[in-house]
Structures are given as structure tokens and as C-alpha cells.
Amino acid sequence: MDSKELLQRIGMIEEGIEKLQNSIYAMKVTDIQQYPVNYETLSTDAALRAERLACQLRNLIFATGLISKPNYMEKAAKTQGIQFFSDGNLLTIRLPGLLPKRKVHANTAFINEPLHYALKQYMEEHPLPVFDSCVVCFIQFYDRRLPLRRIRDYDNMEYKQILDTISPFILRDDSGIFCDSYHTTELGDSDYTSVNIMEKSMFPAWLQDKKNRISDLSEIR
């Protein structure tokens, strides 16, 4: 990449940062209690701008050849807080924040690319059997300190991209014949998404255990 193109890309990033700052300032002066819809629009715009900026900066690094993509994605996954937990029969993936709205044009590369590389590395270090007939359970954790009106319908969230990223590593197939999906909501200390993959035979016991433990808002009653 020559210096002219590099400066052009940096200029575009600077312009994006300025627009992000304007969105954040608008959030700062908007009364969330009186104008919740406006605040949601502004905060979504700011979040999406930040995601686009992160991806633009990534691509700039890759274009200069200063760091390999796998090396960077490993760092990105750690920075985002992507975590994996497994006992051999159940794989739990913790993702930072809530999944984006399906109708919003979000840059899915922001989370899916680090997830792909992190899961690949995890599977190399902690090999798991392929789940032949499984259930994938998505749990959306909402910060209990924030208004409950933030909670969204399950059919308005982008699950497919995450499942498409996970599937090649641990699922025989993500079609309805081999894979069922389950969605639920809980209140927690922060916003995040938990993805739990298990064989269908384990699901009834897992669900009963959740019923016994959950005391907060959930679709499980």
C-alpha cells in the first residue's frame, strides 16, 4: 500500500471517529426517560459506527502486512472477552454484548471473525466430539440495572450468523433435522450472550436445572 492510499484510509477513519463523537454527544444530551426511541436510535447508530471503525482499522493493519490476521484475531477475541467453557458434553460460548437486531445492517465481521479464529484455536487445544443431534441454546443476558423495555423479541435478533460460524467446528449439520434451537432471557450484571451446545439427550436435564436456578426474568416459568 502506498502512502497516498494509506492517508486516504486514515482520513476516512478520522471522519468516522468524528461522526461517532457526534452520536455519543447526542446520546449524552438526550433524556432516555422522555425520549427512549430517540435514545435507542442514537445508541444503535453509535454502536454500529464503532463496529465499522474497528473493522476498518483491522483491514488497514492487514493491508500493511504488519501483523497476520490469525495473530490479530486472537488478540481481538481476548479484548472482546470471548470465552469458552466445556465439560466434554456441553460447550458454552460467552460473547460480549447482545446480538444485533436482524433488520439492522450490522457489520457481523466485528464479532464473527474473532469468534471463528478463537473457536478454531480452542478446538485445537480442547478437541470435542462433533455434536450429532444437538440443541443450541441462546441466552440473552440483560443488565438488570437498565430499563426492561430494552428486552427484544427473539425473532428480531441475529442468531444465524453466529450459528453459521460455530457450525463447521462442532456440529454435524445446523439444519432442523440435526439441530434444534432454544432461546431464553435472563437478567444479569451486564449485557452478554451465552451460547450453549449439547446433545439433545442432555437438554431436558439442562433445562430443568435452569428452572431450579433461575429467579430472575426469563421465558422459563
Side-chain angles (χ1 to χ4, degrees):
M1 180 187 297
D2 59 33
S3 298
K4 183 179 179 180
E5 183 179 354
L6 179 63
L7 289 175
Q8 287 177 338
R9 290 199 184 189
I10 293 175
M12 292 175 62
I13 293 171
E14 287 179 327
E15 183 180 346
I17 291 174
E18 183 178 352
K19 291 179 179 179
L20 175 59
Q21 289 175 326
N22 291 337
S23 296
I24 293 175
Y25 177 77
M27 290 170 58
K28 184 178 179 180
V29 299
T30 299
D31 187 332
I32 189 174
Q33 301 298 331
Q34 190 171 1
Y35 304 106
V37 175
N38 290 354
Y39 190 88
E40 179 185 8
T41 300
L42 289 169
S43 59
T44 299
D45 177 74
L48 294 178
R49 287 188 184 280
E51 291 184 6
R52 286 194 291 270
L53 284 167
C55 291
Q56 285 177 317
L57 284 166
R58 285 178 191 171
N59 292 334
L60 188 62
I61 293 173
F62 302 150
T64 57
L66 298 176
I67 184 173
S68 69
K69 191 170 185 177
N71 191 356
Y72 176 84
M73 288 304 170
E74 179 183 355
K75 298 177 186 295
K78 290 179 180 178
T79 299
Q80 289 185 4
I82 296 175
Q83 296 177 293
F84 304 94
F85 309 93
S86 176
D87 62 3
N89 297 309
L90 169 69
L91 174 64
T92 298
I93 304 173
R94 175 166 172 158
L95 303 175
L98 302 169
L99 298 185
K101 288 185 177 181
R102 182 175 297 172
K103 295 181 180 180
V104 174
H105 182 64
N107 193 335
T108 56
F110 175 73
I111 183 68
N112 279 292
E113 287 193 357
L115 173 60
H116 172 87
Y117 282 90
L119 183 55
K120 181 175 183 295
Q121 182 179 39
Y122 182 83
M123 293 298 294
E124 290 174 352
E125 299 173 357
H126 307 84
L128 292 172
V130 172
F131 291 95
D132 182 65
S133 179
C134 70
V135 180
V136 180
C137 306
F138 292 90
I139 308 176
Q140 295 292 310
F141 284 86
Y142 288 83
D143 192 328
R144 59 168 51 88
R145 296 165 296 183
L146 300 177
L148 293 180
R149 62 172 173 267
R150 303 169 58 242
I151 297 176
R152 292 173 276 161
D153 296 336
Y154 300 123
D155 60 1
N156 193 29
M157 304 180 76
E158 184 54 80
Y159 296 103
K160 188 178 186 304
Q161 292 290 338
I162 296 297
L163 188 57
D164 285 347
T165 299
I166 295 172
S167 177
F169 293 100
I170 55 175
L171 304 185
R172 175 182 174 184
D173 196 291
D174 62 358
S175 72
I177 298 177
F178 303 101
C179 179
D180 291 340
S181 62
Y182 176 80
H183 309 276
T184 189
T185 294
E186 293 186 35
L187 297 180
D189 296 329
S190 62
D191 289 346
Y192 68 94
T193 300
S194 177
V195 186
N196 305 267
I197 303 102
M198 69 198 79
E199 291 288 345
K200 289 183 181 180
S201 60
M202 284 188 58
F203 179 66
W206 179 88
L207 183 59
Q208 185 60 52
D209 183 60
K210 287 193 66 61
K211 287 183 178 181
N212 295 336
R213 290 186 292 108
I214 292 176
S215 59
D216 282 326
L217 174 67
S218 174
E219 72 172 8
I220 305 175
R221 297 300 184 189

